[in-house]
Amino acid sequence: MDLAPQKGSIENNQIKTEIKNQIINLLKEDYQLGHGYAQAMYAYIKGKRD
């Protein structure tokens, strides 16, 4: 979540929904996460905790 403002991914204090794939790709490339883990991290960042 700390990287989102640096990457221009925040609008009105929320992650822009249209850049979901960009965020997932960033997690995969910058942190070498697999696709499933990157999606799980995105869901967690968006607030899905169950």
Side-chain angles (χ1 to χ4, degrees), residues 13-50:
N13 292 325
Q14 295 287 323
I15 295 177
K16 296 177 184 176
T17 55
E18 66 271 8
I19 60 163
K20 175 184 177 180
N21 289 332
Q22 292 174 350
I23 293 170
I24 290 172
N25 287 334
L26 174 133
L27 291 168
K28 288 166 54 175
E29 293 169 9
D30 289 4
Y31 297 98
Q32 290 79 45
L33 295 179
H35 186 74
Y37 284 114
Q39 286 187 305
M41 288 296 301
Y42 176 80
Y44 184 81
I45 290 167
K46 286 290 288 181
K48 197 176 220 182
R49 308 289 159 102
D50 294 332

